Amino acid sequence: MKLIKSKHTLSLLFFAFFLSGFAQEVIKEKEPEKKETVQSKRLKVDGIIATVGDYTILDSDIDKAFLEIEGSGGSTKDITRCQMLGKLLEDKLYAHQAIQDSIVVKDEEIKEKMNQQIDYMVEQLKSMDAVVKYFKKNSEDEFKTELFEILKQQRLASEMQKKIIDPVQITPEETRNFFKKIPENERPLIGTEIEIAQIVVAPKVSQAEKQAVIDRLKEIKKQVQEGASFTTKAVLYTEDPGSRSSGGFYKINKKTPFVKEFKDVAYSLQEGEISEPFETEFGFHIIYLEKIKGQDLELRHILMVPKVTPDALKEAKDKIELIKKRILDKEITFAEAARTLSDEKETRANGGTLINPKTQDSRFELTNMDPEIYSQVSNMKSGEISNVILDEDPKAGKRYKIMMVTNKIEEHTADFSKDYTKIKELALKEKQINAIAKWSEKKIKETYIKINGEYKDCTFTNNWLKK
């Protein structure tokens, strides 16, 4: 649809580097030929090619951005160096203005995010040395310093964008006017959508398995009390990938989105105390409270997850196969079975219906679905029930499920009454884009910006050259 700019995503290899509709510089339209002098040329010396406030951009930063996209499997054939510079200029402007507006980003939160990213990278490349080598850094410290700065600038930019667009709201009348101004032959196509329900049966973990984990955690606690390092034990034994590389470290407060059981135990401890093993939906934990700073706690924890036995898995599979047979034999409806027999509390109350996390309604557009769910339901007809699926949930572990497509809406041209929610999203997105554009125009005028060398010949969407 011509009224909404296309989306392009520039992804860092293992962490978020998002372009949305707000990233106006990266667009598919080709630059005029006479302005493409830097599209295929590189400056011989890697120097500063642009300055935005206190931030600088090197020519090599553009090369890195291209390499990072290509390394993550993305295509760069429609992105010019001028467009990439425009994206980097936007990022720096957001980050610069965030500092001017006193937006605070806590270093502890960035470190936590960095550790999670590093854990994932190490998992993919098998060692920290391989990660450092892949990113062409001289040492682990150099790599971590650069990654920290990238993540901090991204967070500042994100918080600044959020501050700009959060106040923007759309009324029903604005939504209607937005739709009316789209010519009929240019109205967007709404892709095929489906509504899905599922029934989940989780294998039961035996009390013996739970007790074995509890005993192991008690033994670790005893060893630490006798002088062993909790940090080392966490690195060796925790099953929490988000904190393994940092020795189980987290800094939390009462607003941190951790499960209630974890926070209740953490806030019951004194400095230097280690908790008894306790259970959450993730498994069993022990917590070592290092420091109390007001309402903030600095702690380390070890997570261990009881293992499911083959017999328990077989029992769960037999149960869900029987549930499916009863539904096919019309002894019970799918919705009734979900409400009374499913182990998934999030969907049980509404008959197993899945909610789209992006839109908060029950419809999923096929082309934008989670790839795993897509592979399970894309070829199913309305009312059809899937085969029994072995699912490995990150939180719940192995479980069996059956799925049913409860409704299938074929591809169609947008209709105001039937597709109001999606049209409202498009109208809001356009209004947000306009708010960003207006903000950018004003801040570019107020901010020190300098572009050097051949990049002065670029044609930008924003007035970076202040002509």
Side-chain angles (χ1 to χ4, degrees):
M1 189 172 67
K2 293 181 180 178
L3 295 174
I4 299 294
K5 292 185 183 292
S6 299
K7 292 183 179 180
H8 296 269
T9 305
L10 303 186
S11 302
L12 290 179
L13 181 56
F14 292 115
F15 48 88
F17 187 171
F18 292 111
L19 285 182
S20 66
F22 313 133
Q24 301 165 53
E25 294 298 341
V26 181
I27 53 177
K28 282 191 175 178
E29 291 85 340
K30 294 182 70 175
E31 301 286 343
E33 285 297 322
K34 65 180 181 179
K35 298 297 183 181
E36 284 302 302
T37 55
V38 295
Q39 165 61 18
S40 57
K41 293 174 65 177
R42 292 181 54 185
L43 297 178
K44 292 180 180 178
V45 178
D46 182 29
I48 295 172
I49 59 170
T51 304
V52 179
D54 295 327
Y55 291 103
T56 58
I57 301 172
L58 303 177
D59 194 49
S60 61
D61 290 334
I62 296 180
D63 296 321
K64 289 175 187 175
F66 277 110
L67 287 171
E68 285 155 355
I69 297 167
E70 291 162 1
S72 65
S75 172
T76 60
K77 66 184 181 68
D78 292 323
I79 304 172
T80 68
R81 292 183 73 81
C82 288
Q83 290 167 341
M84 187 65 79
L85 174 58
K87 169 65 177 97
L88 296 177
L89 287 165
E90 284 187 2
D91 290 344
K92 303 301 184 188
L93 180 64
Y94 292 134
H96 170 77
Q97 194 58 46
I99 293 171
Q100 305 309 304
D101 289 3
S102 300
I103 292 176
V104 176
V105 173
K106 292 184 178 179
D107 284 355
E108 292 85 355
E109 293 176 2
I110 303 301
K111 286 177 182 175
E112 184 179 326
K113 178 72 172 175
M114 181 182 75
N115 288 333
Q116 291 172 356
Q117 300 292 359
I118 289 173
D119 275 344
Y120 184 74
M121 294 176 191
V122 170
E123 184 178 338
Q124 295 297 309
L125 296 179
K126 309 306 179 188
S127 73
M128 190 66 209
D129 286 343
V131 172
V132 173
K133 183 178 179 181
Y134 183 90
F135 284 96
K136 297 180 172 62
K137 301 303 168 190
N138 294 319
S139 66
E140 182 177 334
D141 285 345
E142 181 186 347
F143 170 73
K144 286 184 175 180
T145 298
E146 185 168 320
L147 178 56
F148 179 88
E149 288 304 316
I150 290 171
L151 291 174
K152 187 167 185 176
Q153 285 184 31
Q154 287 178 351
R155 182 67 180 276
L156 284 168
S158 174
E159 291 299 314
M160 189 68 246
Q161 285 187 350
K162 189 172 182 292
K163 182 178 178 179
I164 298 165
I165 67 173
D166 272 359
V168 178
Q169 301 198 3
I170 198 81
T171 66
E173 186 61 26
E174 287 175 315
T175 303
R176 184 179 297 277
N177 291 336
F178 168 83
F179 186 71
K180 281 182 178 178
K181 72 182 182 181
I182 307 173
E184 283 193 30
N185 64 343
E186 294 182 12
R187 286 178 181 171
L189 278 177
I190 305 297
T192 300
E193 295 178 302
I194 58 174
E195 293 178 312
I196 316 163
Q198 69 181 25
I199 296 170
V200 174
V201 174
K204 307 304 180 188
V205 177
S206 71
Q207 192 57 44
E209 288 292 332
K210 289 184 179 181
Q211 191 59 50
V213 168
I214 291 170
D215 291 344
R216 184 73 185 104
L217 287 170
K218 284 184 174 180
E219 177 61 25
I220 290 173
K221 175 180 177 179
K222 181 173 179 291
Q223 291 171 358
V224 172
Q225 289 173 331
E226 292 173 351
S229 165
F230 192 100
T231 301
T232 301
K233 295 292 185 183
V235 170
L236 291 173
Y237 299 116
T238 189
E239 295 181 58
D240 173 19
S243 67
R244 185 182 298 118
S245 68
S246 61
F249 181 81
Y250 284 112
K251 182 173 182 179
I252 70 168
N253 57 46
K254 291 191 175 179
K255 293 183 180 179
T256 304
F258 279 29
V259 292
K260 181 178 183 297
E261 298 90 340
F262 190 96
K263 289 197 286 188
D264 285 348
V265 172
Y267 276 93
S268 72
L269 298 174
Q270 300 297 317
E271 281 191 7
E273 188 178 0
I274 303 174
S275 74
E276 288 297 314
F278 66 96
E279 187 175 11
T280 71
E281 63 192 74
F282 298 96
F284 287 86
H285 313 248
I286 54 172
I287 294 175
Y288 168 50
L289 183 60
E290 289 190 338
K291 290 182 182 178
I292 300 174
K293 295 182 177 179
Q295 291 298 306
D296 291 335
L297 304 182
E298 292 184 5
L299 57 83
R300 297 182 187 275
H301 86 123
I302 295 173
L303 168 69
M304 289 186 173
V305 183
K307 302 301 182 281
V308 174
T309 65
D311 286 345
L313 272 174
K314 184 180 183 305
E315 185 179 337
K317 186 177 182 183
D318 290 344
K319 179 180 177 180
I320 202 163
E321 285 177 341
L322 179 58
I323 292 171
K324 179 180 178 181
K325 184 177 184 303
R326 290 183 63 195
I327 295 169
L328 293 175
D329 290 344
K330 302 190 183 306
E331 291 181 28
I332 189 171
T333 68
F334 195 99
E336 289 169 344
R339 280 190 285 268
T340 58
L341 300 171
S342 179
D343 289 330
E344 186 173 62
K345 60 183 180 181
E346 295 86 358
T347 61
R348 194 165 51 211
N350 57 353
T353 300
L354 295 180
I355 299 301
N356 188 332
K358 296 179 181 177
T359 61
Q360 297 304 309
D361 65 19
S362 59
R363 290 187 180 185
F364 291 81
E365 191 169 345
L366 270 180
T367 55
N368 291 326
M369 288 182 71
D370 177 275
E372 186 175 353
I373 298 178
Y374 176 86
S375 67
Q376 294 164 351
V377 302
S378 60
N379 295 321
M380 291 171 58
K381 298 175 183 177
S382 184
E384 186 177 352
I385 301 175
S386 73
N387 294 324
V388 173
I389 300 165
L390 177 60
D391 184 50
E392 296 207 32
D393 185 88
K395 290 196 299 184
K398 290 182 179 179
R399 58 193 197 154
Y400 286 101
K401 67 181 181 181
I402 53 174
M403 307 181 77
M404 182 173 76
V405 174
T406 57
N407 190 22
K408 194 166 189 175
I409 305 100
E410 299 296 340
E411 182 180 84
H412 60 281
T413 301
D415 177 274
F416 185 77
S417 58
K418 294 179 181 177
D419 304 302
Y420 177 80
T421 300
K422 283 187 169 52
I423 294 164
K424 181 181 178 181
E425 288 172 6
L426 291 173
L428 177 61
K429 182 67 70 177
E430 182 185 64
K431 193 171 180 181
Q432 289 172 336
I433 289 171
N434 290 338
I436 287 282
K438 185 176 180 181
W439 178 91
S440 296
E441 182 180 5
K442 178 184 177 185
K443 295 304 176 184
I444 287 171
K445 290 178 181 176
E446 298 174 355
T447 305
Y448 174 76
I449 298 169
K450 184 178 180 182
I451 296 174
N452 304 321
E454 296 177 67
Y455 289 93
K456 288 181 179 179
D457 294 330
C458 287
T459 298
F460 296 112
T461 302
N462 285 329
N463 187 25
W464 299 111
L465 296 167
K466 299 189 179 185
K467 292 180 178 178

